[in-house]
Amino acid sequence: MLKKTLYLNMLVAVSLTTTSCLTVGNQFPSVVNWIKPNVTTKNEIEKAFGPPYRVGYDSGMKTYSYGYYKYSLFSESQTKDFTIRFNENMTVYNYTFSSSFPEDK
């Protein structure tokens, strides 16, 4: 019985260690300084970043959102968000980028 309990405890410990990290969204490039309002198109954004994580509208403007989130029980969580708003002609109106990843600081 003791052997069975020890085995079960070890199995739980290994499971917690290997599943202590949760990733949501898809990794995407952090370099956004090439994007120019009223010049860069929706197609260029999709080509560079892939399909958006979310699509919506902000004040009537088509909006793409990209997100990548790494949550961990044993270390600091890291997040990265990128939101683009498009004009009626599907060029970039404006965008925001924020990240807590060390390589983006």
Side-chain angles (χ1 to χ4, degrees), residues 37-48:
N38 301 313
V39 176
T40 307
T41 66
K42 182 171 82 74
N43 289 340
E44 291 171 313
I45 295 294
E46 289 174 349
K47 186 175 181 181

Side-chain angles (χ1 to χ4, degrees), residues 3-4 8 16 19 26 28 32 39 57 59 63 73 93 99 105:
K3 194 174 190 178
K4 196 175 202 179
L8 184 60
L16 285 174
T19 61
N26 295 314
F28 60 90
V32 297
V39 176
Y57 288 90
S59 300
T63 304
L73 291 176
Y93 174 74
S99 174
K105 292 182 180 180

Side-chain angles (χ1 to χ4, degrees), residues 46-98:
E46 289 174 349
K47 186 175 181 181
F49 296 96
Y53 181 65
R54 288 184 306 251
V55 177
Y57 288 90
D58 181 4
S59 300
M61 287 185 256
K62 181 99 169 175
T63 304
Y64 275 14
S65 297
Y66 294 86
Y68 184 62
Y69 314 99
K70 285 179 69 173
Y71 301 106
S72 176
L73 291 176
F74 302 111
S75 63
E76 189 174 320
S77 295
Q78 297 173 318
T79 64
K80 182 164 51 168
D81 291 289
F82 180 42
T83 303
I84 310 105
R85 289 161 202 84
F86 294 100
N87 293 309
E88 287 180 9
N89 66 358
M90 290 300 122
T91 59
V92 172
Y93 174 74
N94 65 15
Y95 64 90
T96 59
F97 173 81
S98 58

